[in-house]
Amino acid sequence: QVKSGHLLFPASASPRIMAAVATRVVTAPAAMAEQFQPQAENLFPQGAKLCVTSDVGAARASAAAHGGWNPRMQQYCGQTGTLKWQSPDGLACLLQFDNGAQWLYSTELLHQQ
C-alpha cells in the first residue's frame, strides 16, 4: 500500500491514478492554481535522495494541499528517502524510506542530499 496523507492506495496504483484522486480530493480555484505553475528548478531527478524537514509543524501545515497529514508521517521528518514520483506541477514528491514506507510530502519541505 502507498500512503498519501490520509489517503491509502494499493501498491499497484499508478502515480497518475494517485494524482488524479488527490486532485479530486483537494481542489483549488482555477485562479489560485495559475499561481502555482511548474517550476523547472523545483524538480528533482528520479531516484534522488531527499531529506524531509525536521520541522514537524511545517510538514503538518503543508500536508493539507497534498492529501492531508497522517501522524505516522512525523517519524519520517528529518529522515532521507528516495524519490519515487513527483507531481507534474512539481509541488509534491512521493518518497520511499529504507523500511519500505512511502509518503507524499510537499516539495518545499525537501532538500537534496
Side-chain angles (χ1 to χ4, degrees), residues 12-51:
S12 61
S14 74
R16 178 182 269 176
I17 291 171
M18 291 188 305
V21 170
T23 301
R24 286 179 179 84
V25 171
V26 180
T27 58
M32 184 181 223
E34 289 176 10
Q35 297 174 7
F36 300 102
Q37 294 301 314
Q39 301 291 324
E41 63 270 13
N42 290 342
L43 300 176
F44 295 110
Q46 184 74 11
K49 297 293 185 185
L50 301 176
C51 186

mmCIF file of all heavy atoms in Angstrom, residues 12-51:
data_model
loop_
_atom_site.group_PDB
_atom_site.id
_atom_site.type_symbol
_atom_site.label_atom_id
_atom_site.label_comp_id
_atom_site.label_asym_id
_atom_site.label_seq_id
_atom_site.Cartn_x
_atom_site.Cartn_y
_atom_site.Cartn_z
ATOM 1 N N SER A 12 -0.308 -1.333 -6.252
ATOM 2 C CA SER A 12 -0.345 -1.361 -7.707
ATOM 3 C C SER A 12 -0.855 -0.048 -8.315
ATOM 4 O O SER A 12 -0.838 0.107 -9.534
ATOM 5 C CB SER A 12 -1.228 -2.516 -8.178
ATOM 6 O OG SER A 12 -2.551 -2.329 -7.699
ATOM 7 N N ALA A 13 -1.294 0.892 -7.488
ATOM 8 C CA ALA A 13 -1.831 2.152 -8.009
ATOM 9 C C ALA A 13 -0.725 2.945 -8.695
ATOM 10 O O ALA A 13 0.368 3.090 -8.170
ATOM 11 C CB ALA A 13 -2.433 2.988 -6.883
ATOM 12 N N SER A 14 -1.027 3.444 -9.870
ATOM 13 C CA SER A 14 -0.032 4.220 -10.608
ATOM 14 C C SER A 14 0.006 5.640 -10.053
ATOM 15 O O SER A 14 -0.982 6.138 -9.500
ATOM 16 C CB SER A 14 -0.385 4.248 -12.091
ATOM 17 O OG SER A 14 -1.487 5.111 -12.312
ATOM 18 N N PRO A 15 1.166 6.315 -10.195
ATOM 19 C CA PRO A 15 1.254 7.720 -9.766
ATOM 20 C C PRO A 15 0.192 8.583 -10.438
ATOM 21 O O PRO A 15 -0.337 9.498 -9.832
ATOM 22 C CB PRO A 15 2.662 8.133 -10.198
ATOM 23 C CG PRO A 15 3.435 6.858 -10.169
ATOM 24 C CD PRO A 15 2.454 5.807 -10.630
ATOM 25 N N ARG A 16 -0.165 8.255 -11.688
ATOM 26 C CA ARG A 16 -1.180 9.032 -12.402
ATOM 27 C C ARG A 16 -2.538 8.915 -11.701
ATOM 28 O O ARG A 16 -3.264 9.884 -11.538
ATOM 29 C CB ARG A 16 -1.274 8.543 -13.847
ATOM 30 C CG ARG A 16 -2.349 9.269 -14.634
ATOM 31 C CD ARG A 16 -2.433 8.737 -16.021
ATOM 32 N NE ARG A 16 -1.534 9.538 -16.837
ATOM 33 C CZ ARG A 16 -1.288 9.312 -18.100
ATOM 34 N NH1 ARG A 16 -1.832 8.292 -18.704
ATOM 35 N NH2 ARG A 16 -0.491 10.092 -18.780
ATOM 36 N N ILE A 17 -2.884 7.710 -11.262
ATOM 37 C CA ILE A 17 -4.148 7.497 -10.553
ATOM 38 C C ILE A 17 -4.119 8.222 -9.208
ATOM 39 O O ILE A 17 -5.077 8.890 -8.836
ATOM 40 C CB ILE A 17 -4.437 5.999 -10.361
ATOM 41 C CG1 ILE A 17 -4.753 5.353 -11.717
ATOM 42 C CG2 ILE A 17 -5.575 5.777 -9.379
ATOM 43 C CD1 ILE A 17 -4.843 3.853 -11.684
ATOM 44 N N MET A 18 -3.000 8.099 -8.480
ATOM 45 C CA MET A 18 -2.898 8.777 -7.178
ATOM 46 C C MET A 18 -3.051 10.281 -7.341
ATOM 47 O O MET A 18 -3.750 10.930 -6.570
ATOM 48 C CB MET A 18 -1.563 8.445 -6.504
ATOM 49 C CG MET A 18 -1.478 7.000 -6.056
ATOM 50 S SD MET A 18 -0.032 6.603 -5.046
ATOM 51 C CE MET A 18 1.318 7.132 -6.039
ATOM 52 N N ALA A 19 -2.422 10.851 -8.377
ATOM 53 C CA ALA A 19 -2.524 12.293 -8.606
ATOM 54 C C ALA A 19 -3.951 12.692 -8.960
ATOM 55 O O ALA A 19 -4.452 13.707 -8.482
ATOM 56 C CB ALA A 19 -1.565 12.719 -9.709
ATOM 57 N N ALA A 20 -4.616 11.872 -9.770
ATOM 58 C CA ALA A 20 -5.992 12.179 -10.161
ATOM 59 C C ALA A 20 -6.921 12.153 -8.957
ATOM 60 O O ALA A 20 -7.767 13.032 -8.786
ATOM 61 C CB ALA A 20 -6.477 11.189 -11.224
ATOM 62 N N VAL A 21 -6.744 11.169 -8.089
ATOM 63 C CA VAL A 21 -7.574 11.085 -6.888
ATOM 64 C C VAL A 21 -7.289 12.257 -5.974
ATOM 65 O O VAL A 21 -8.202 12.920 -5.479
ATOM 66 C CB VAL A 21 -7.352 9.742 -6.159
ATOM 67 C CG1 VAL A 21 -8.027 9.747 -4.800
ATOM 68 C CG2 VAL A 21 -7.863 8.594 -7.002
ATOM 69 N N ALA A 22 -6.011 12.547 -5.740
ATOM 70 C CA ALA A 22 -5.646 13.658 -4.858
ATOM 71 C C ALA A 22 -6.184 14.977 -5.393
ATOM 72 O O ALA A 22 -6.627 15.828 -4.627
ATOM 73 C CB ALA A 22 -4.128 13.726 -4.692
ATOM 74 N N THR A 23 -6.185 15.145 -6.711
ATOM 75 C CA THR A 23 -6.696 16.368 -7.316
ATOM 76 C C THR A 23 -8.187 16.519 -7.048
ATOM 77 O O THR A 23 -8.670 17.617 -6.806
ATOM 78 C CB THR A 23 -6.437 16.367 -8.835
ATOM 79 O OG1 THR A 23 -5.036 16.254 -9.043
ATOM 80 C CG2 THR A 23 -6.944 17.629 -9.476
ATOM 81 N N ARG A 24 -8.905 15.410 -7.066
ATOM 82 C CA ARG A 24 -10.346 15.481 -6.815
ATOM 83 C C ARG A 24 -10.651 15.669 -5.331
ATOM 84 O O ARG A 24 -11.667 16.217 -4.974
ATOM 85 C CB ARG A 24 -11.025 14.230 -7.356
ATOM 86 C CG ARG A 24 -11.107 14.236 -8.855
ATOM 87 C CD ARG A 24 -11.754 12.994 -9.411
ATOM 88 N NE ARG A 24 -11.844 13.025 -10.843
ATOM 89 C CZ ARG A 24 -10.874 12.678 -11.665
ATOM 90 N NH1 ARG A 24 -9.719 12.284 -11.184
ATOM 91 N NH2 ARG A 24 -11.046 12.732 -12.972
ATOM 92 N N VAL A 25 -9.751 15.218 -4.465
ATOM 93 C CA VAL A 25 -9.960 15.356 -3.024
ATOM 94 C C VAL A 25 -9.659 16.776 -2.581
ATOM 95 O O VAL A 25 -10.377 17.361 -1.789
ATOM 96 C CB VAL A 25 -9.090 14.347 -2.254
ATOM 97 C CG1 VAL A 25 -9.130 14.609 -0.761
ATOM 98 C CG2 VAL A 25 -9.539 12.928 -2.557
ATOM 99 N N VAL A 26 -8.561 17.328 -3.072
ATOM 100 C CA VAL A 26 -8.152 18.683 -2.692
ATOM 101 C C VAL A 26 -8.071 19.502 -3.970
ATOM 102 O O VAL A 26 -7.153 19.340 -4.751
ATOM 103 C CB VAL A 26 -6.767 18.677 -1.996
ATOM 104 C CG1 VAL A 26 -6.363 20.084 -1.621
ATOM 105 C CG2 VAL A 26 -6.790 17.777 -0.790
ATOM 106 N N THR A 27 -9.056 20.359 -4.186
ATOM 107 C CA THR A 27 -9.059 21.180 -5.389
ATOM 108 C C THR A 27 -8.914 22.643 -5.008
ATOM 109 O O THR A 27 -9.282 23.059 -3.922
ATOM 110 C CB THR A 27 -10.360 20.981 -6.190
ATOM 111 O OG1 THR A 27 -11.465 21.310 -5.355
ATOM 112 C CG2 THR A 27 -10.493 19.558 -6.677
ATOM 113 N N ALA A 28 -8.352 23.406 -5.916
ATOM 114 C CA ALA A 28 -8.171 24.841 -5.711
ATOM 115 C C ALA A 28 -8.860 25.574 -6.847
ATOM 116 O O ALA A 28 -8.951 25.054 -7.956
ATOM 117 C CB ALA A 28 -6.689 25.181 -5.704
ATOM 118 N N PRO A 29 -9.329 26.796 -6.582
ATOM 119 C CA PRO A 29 -9.917 27.579 -7.662
ATOM 120 C C PRO A 29 -8.902 27.766 -8.790
ATOM 121 O O PRO A 29 -7.703 27.831 -8.557
ATOM 122 C CB PRO A 29 -10.255 28.919 -6.996
ATOM 123 C CG PRO A 29 -10.266 28.638 -5.542
ATOM 124 C CD PRO A 29 -9.343 27.482 -5.314
ATOM 125 N N ALA A 30 -9.393 27.861 -10.010
ATOM 126 C CA ALA A 30 -8.507 27.981 -11.170
ATOM 127 C C ALA A 30 -7.543 29.162 -11.031
ATOM 128 O O ALA A 30 -6.375 29.057 -11.368
ATOM 129 C CB ALA A 30 -9.332 28.115 -12.443
ATOM 130 N N ALA A 31 -8.037 30.275 -10.515
ATOM 131 C CA ALA A 31 -7.172 31.448 -10.363
ATOM 132 C C ALA A 31 -6.004 31.150 -9.424
ATOM 133 O O ALA A 31 -4.875 31.578 -9.663
ATOM 134 C CB ALA A 31 -7.979 32.630 -9.831
ATOM 135 N N MET A 32 -6.270 30.401 -8.371
ATOM 136 C CA MET A 32 -5.211 30.054 -7.434
ATOM 137 C C MET A 32 -4.243 29.063 -8.068
ATOM 138 O O MET A 32 -3.035 29.160 -7.894
ATOM 139 C CB MET A 32 -5.806 29.469 -6.164
ATOM 140 C CG MET A 32 -4.795 29.159 -5.103
ATOM 141 S SD MET A 32 -5.643 28.454 -3.674
ATOM 142 C CE MET A 32 -4.811 29.336 -2.402
ATOM 143 N N ALA A 33 -4.772 28.116 -8.820
ATOM 144 C CA ALA A 33 -3.930 27.108 -9.465
ATOM 145 C C ALA A 33 -2.952 27.748 -10.435
ATOM 146 O O ALA A 33 -1.823 27.284 -10.586
ATOM 147 C CB ALA A 33 -4.797 26.079 -10.170
ATOM 148 N N GLU A 34 -3.365 28.838 -11.106
ATOM 149 C CA GLU A 34 -2.482 29.506 -12.050
ATOM 150 C C GLU A 34 -1.243 30.071 -11.372
ATOM 151 O O GLU A 34 -0.205 30.218 -11.992
ATOM 152 C CB GLU A 34 -3.239 30.623 -12.772
ATOM 153 C CG GLU A 34 -4.261 30.096 -13.755
ATOM 154 C CD GLU A 34 -5.073 31.209 -14.387
ATOM 155 O OE1 GLU A 34 -4.725 32.396 -14.200
ATOM 156 O OE2 GLU A 34 -6.062 30.884 -15.067
ATOM 157 N N GLN A 35 -1.332 30.392 -10.092
ATOM 158 C CA GLN A 35 -0.202 30.935 -9.359
ATOM 159 C C GLN A 35 0.874 29.881 -9.133
ATOM 160 O O GLN A 35 2.011 30.209 -8.852
ATOM 161 C CB GLN A 35 -0.639 31.483 -7.997
ATOM 162 C CG GLN A 35 -1.598 32.634 -8.080
ATOM 163 C CD GLN A 35 -2.099 33.019 -6.706
ATOM 164 O OE1 GLN A 35 -1.630 32.516 -5.692
ATOM 165 N NE2 GLN A 35 -3.057 33.920 -6.665
ATOM 166 N N PHE A 36 0.517 28.612 -9.223
ATOM 167 C CA PHE A 36 1.430 27.526 -8.895
ATOM 168 C C PHE A 36 1.792 26.711 -10.136
ATOM 169 O O PHE A 36 1.584 25.520 -10.179
ATOM 170 C CB PHE A 36 0.816 26.628 -7.818
ATOM 171 C CG PHE A 36 0.536 27.370 -6.555
ATOM 172 C CD1 PHE A 36 -0.748 27.769 -6.240
ATOM 173 C CD2 PHE A 36 1.562 27.691 -5.686
ATOM 174 C CE1 PHE A 36 -1.018 28.469 -5.077
ATOM 175 C CE2 PHE A 36 1.309 28.392 -4.520
ATOM 176 C CZ PHE A 36 0.024 28.782 -4.213
ATOM 177 N N GLN A 37 2.317 27.379 -11.125
ATOM 178 C CA GLN A 37 2.745 26.698 -12.336
ATOM 179 C C GLN A 37 4.044 25.944 -12.061
ATOM 180 O O GLN A 37 4.812 26.313 -11.172
ATOM 181 C CB GLN A 37 2.945 27.707 -13.469
ATOM 182 C CG GLN A 37 1.654 28.376 -13.897
ATOM 183 C CD GLN A 37 0.618 27.371 -14.378
ATOM 184 O OE1 GLN A 37 0.921 26.486 -15.153
ATOM 185 N NE2 GLN A 37 -0.607 27.516 -13.908
ATOM 186 N N PRO A 38 4.324 24.879 -12.798
ATOM 187 C CA PRO A 38 5.546 24.110 -12.583
ATOM 188 C C PRO A 38 6.787 24.988 -12.699
ATOM 189 O O PRO A 38 6.857 25.848 -13.564
ATOM 190 C CB PRO A 38 5.527 23.064 -13.691
ATOM 191 C CG PRO A 38 4.145 23.032 -14.206
ATOM 192 C CD PRO A 38 3.520 24.350 -13.884
ATOM 193 N N GLN A 39 7.719 24.771 -11.828
ATOM 194 C CA GLN A 39 8.986 25.478 -11.849
ATOM 195 C C GLN A 39 10.071 24.443 -12.101
ATOM 196 O O GLN A 39 10.288 23.576 -11.269
ATOM 197 C CB GLN A 39 9.232 26.178 -10.507
ATOM 198 C CG GLN A 39 8.152 27.177 -10.121
ATOM 199 C CD GLN A 39 8.167 28.395 -11.012
ATOM 200 O OE1 GLN A 39 9.216 28.851 -11.426
ATOM 201 N NE2 GLN A 39 6.999 28.919 -11.322
ATOM 202 N N ALA A 40 10.754 24.522 -13.223
ATOM 203 C CA ALA A 40 11.767 23.524 -13.558
ATOM 204 C C ALA A 40 12.813 23.406 -12.457
ATOM 205 O O ALA A 40 13.290 22.323 -12.175
ATOM 206 C CB ALA A 40 12.432 23.879 -14.888
ATOM 207 N N GLU A 41 13.134 24.513 -11.799
ATOM 208 C CA GLU A 41 14.150 24.455 -10.747
ATOM 209 C C GLU A 41 13.657 23.725 -9.494
ATOM 210 O O GLU A 41 14.428 23.383 -8.638
ATOM 211 C CB GLU A 41 14.656 25.857 -10.380
ATOM 212 C CG GLU A 41 13.600 26.775 -9.801
ATOM 213 C CD GLU A 41 12.864 27.601 -10.843
ATOM 214 O OE1 GLU A 41 12.973 27.324 -12.037
ATOM 215 O OE2 GLU A 41 12.163 28.542 -10.439
ATOM 216 N N ASN A 42 12.356 23.458 -9.403
ATOM 217 C CA ASN A 42 11.807 22.733 -8.252
ATOM 218 C C ASN A 42 11.812 21.220 -8.464
ATOM 219 O O ASN A 42 11.505 20.481 -7.557
ATOM 220 C CB ASN A 42 10.369 23.169 -7.971
ATOM 221 C CG ASN A 42 10.307 24.574 -7.437
ATOM 222 O OD1 ASN A 42 11.292 25.111 -6.960
ATOM 223 N ND2 ASN A 42 9.141 25.185 -7.512
ATOM 224 N N LEU A 43 12.115 20.777 -9.659
ATOM 225 C CA LEU A 43 12.031 19.353 -9.955
ATOM 226 C C LEU A 43 13.327 18.644 -9.566
ATOM 227 O O LEU A 43 14.418 19.106 -9.858
ATOM 228 C CB LEU A 43 11.732 19.128 -11.437
ATOM 229 C CG LEU A 43 10.423 19.751 -11.928
ATOM 230 C CD1 LEU A 43 10.278 19.548 -13.419
ATOM 231 C CD2 LEU A 43 9.239 19.150 -11.202
ATOM 232 N N PHE A 44 13.171 17.512 -8.889
ATOM 233 C CA PHE A 44 14.313 16.691 -8.506
ATOM 234 C C PHE A 44 14.423 15.531 -9.485
ATOM 235 O O PHE A 44 13.413 15.054 -10.007
ATOM 236 C CB PHE A 44 14.108 16.122 -7.095
ATOM 237 C CG PHE A 44 14.064 17.155 -6.015
ATOM 238 C CD1 PHE A 44 12.880 17.438 -5.354
ATOM 239 C CD2 PHE A 44 15.218 17.834 -5.629
ATOM 240 C CE1 PHE A 44 12.830 18.374 -4.340
ATOM 241 C CE2 PHE A 44 15.179 18.774 -4.617
ATOM 242 C CZ PHE A 44 13.986 19.045 -3.975
ATOM 243 N N PRO A 45 15.633 15.006 -9.707
ATOM 244 C CA PRO A 45 15.760 13.837 -10.589
ATOM 245 C C PRO A 45 15.192 12.581 -9.934
ATOM 246 O O PRO A 45 15.266 12.414 -8.710
ATOM 247 C CB PRO A 45 17.272 13.722 -10.808
ATOM 248 C CG PRO A 45 17.893 14.426 -9.656
ATOM 249 C CD PRO A 45 16.914 15.488 -9.226
ATOM 250 N N GLN A 46 14.624 11.699 -10.750
ATOM 251 C CA GLN A 46 14.084 10.427 -10.266
ATOM 252 C C GLN A 46 15.185 9.679 -9.517
ATOM 253 O O GLN A 46 16.325 9.637 -9.956
ATOM 254 C CB GLN A 46 13.595 9.597 -11.451
ATOM 255 C CG GLN A 46 12.924 8.307 -11.064
ATOM 256 C CD GLN A 46 11.527 8.513 -10.499
ATOM 257 O OE1 GLN A 46 10.967 9.584 -10.562
ATOM 258 N NE2 GLN A 46 10.974 7.484 -9.934
ATOM 259 N N GLY A 47 14.860 9.114 -8.365
ATOM 260 C CA GLY A 47 15.829 8.354 -7.575
ATOM 261 C C GLY A 47 16.685 9.204 -6.661
ATOM 262 O O GLY A 47 17.538 8.671 -5.944
ATOM 263 N N ALA A 48 16.459 10.522 -6.660
ATOM 264 C CA ALA A 48 17.255 11.412 -5.807
ATOM 265 C C ALA A 48 17.036 11.079 -4.337
ATOM 266 O O ALA A 48 15.951 10.654 -3.938
ATOM 267 C CB ALA A 48 16.868 12.873 -6.070
ATOM 268 N N LYS A 49 18.060 11.266 -3.535
ATOM 269 C CA LYS A 49 17.966 11.115 -2.086
ATOM 270 C C LYS A 49 17.547 12.470 -1.534
ATOM 271 O O LYS A 49 18.259 13.462 -1.684
ATOM 272 C CB LYS A 49 19.300 10.684 -1.483
ATOM 273 C CG LYS A 49 19.775 9.336 -1.966
ATOM 274 C CD LYS A 49 18.868 8.233 -1.468
ATOM 275 C CE LYS A 49 19.418 6.869 -1.849
ATOM 276 N NZ LYS A 49 18.524 5.792 -1.481
ATOM 277 N N LEU A 50 16.350 12.508 -0.929
ATOM 278 C CA LEU A 50 15.792 13.759 -0.428
ATOM 279 C C LEU A 50 15.545 13.658 1.069
ATOM 280 O O LEU A 50 15.013 12.656 1.548
ATOM 281 C CB LEU A 50 14.479 14.076 -1.144
ATOM 282 C CG LEU A 50 14.557 14.212 -2.666
ATOM 283 C CD1 LEU A 50 13.174 14.418 -3.254
ATOM 284 C CD2 LEU A 50 15.487 15.337 -3.052
ATOM 285 N N CYS A 51 15.925 14.702 1.776
ATOM 286 C CA CYS A 51 15.720 14.760 3.225
ATOM 287 C C CYS A 51 14.492 15.619 3.517
ATOM 288 O O CYS A 51 14.348 16.722 2.987
ATOM 289 C CB CYS A 51 16.953 15.345 3.903
ATOM 290 S SG CYS A 51 16.844 15.301 5.709
#
